[in-house]
Amino acid sequence: MSAKHTPGPWTFEASTGDDCGMIVGKTGVVCDFVDDPRDSNARLIAAAPELLEACMAMLDCCYYIERNDETVAAVKATMKAIAKAT
């Protein structure tokens, strides 16, 4: 049985007065951590649902582009990343 991810969008919310923060989704807290609230990792985590959606949409478009070694490699890498995320 595979776990479902928390639906996006996700946002980063810094705690006031300290360096703690959390990533919050539609259904509640996705994760919390002690770190610098300006940390690029927090922004990346918060963008994860949109990145996954964009990758899936891009794959749909790839059926209409010229196939060469570079595009095939890019499609394979995207499919691998989507499989890892889902």
Side-chain angles (χ1 to χ4, degrees):
M1 179 167 84
S2 66
K4 299 275 186 188
H5 71 276
T6 303
W10 294 354
T11 56
F12 174 71
E13 295 183 7
S15 299
T16 55
D18 57 27
D19 288 338
C20 297
M22 65 183 120
I23 304 296
V24 180
K26 289 181 179 181
T27 58
V29 176
V30 175
C31 65
D32 58 4
F33 52 91
V34 177
D35 207 341
D36 184 342
R38 295 163 296 199
D39 188 2
S40 59
N41 289 331
R43 291 190 302 275
L44 179 60
I45 293 167
E50 288 88 352
L51 290 168
L52 176 59
E53 187 176 316
C55 284
M56 294 171 80
M58 198 58 139
L59 274 184
D60 289 339
C61 297
C62 287
Y63 291 105
Y64 306 106
I65 64 172
E66 178 186 344
R67 286 177 174 74
N68 58 42
D69 290 344
E70 291 175 344
T71 58
V72 170
V75 167
K76 286 181 179 179
T78 303
M79 291 172 71
K80 185 176 177 180
I82 290 170
K84 187 175 183 179
T86 57

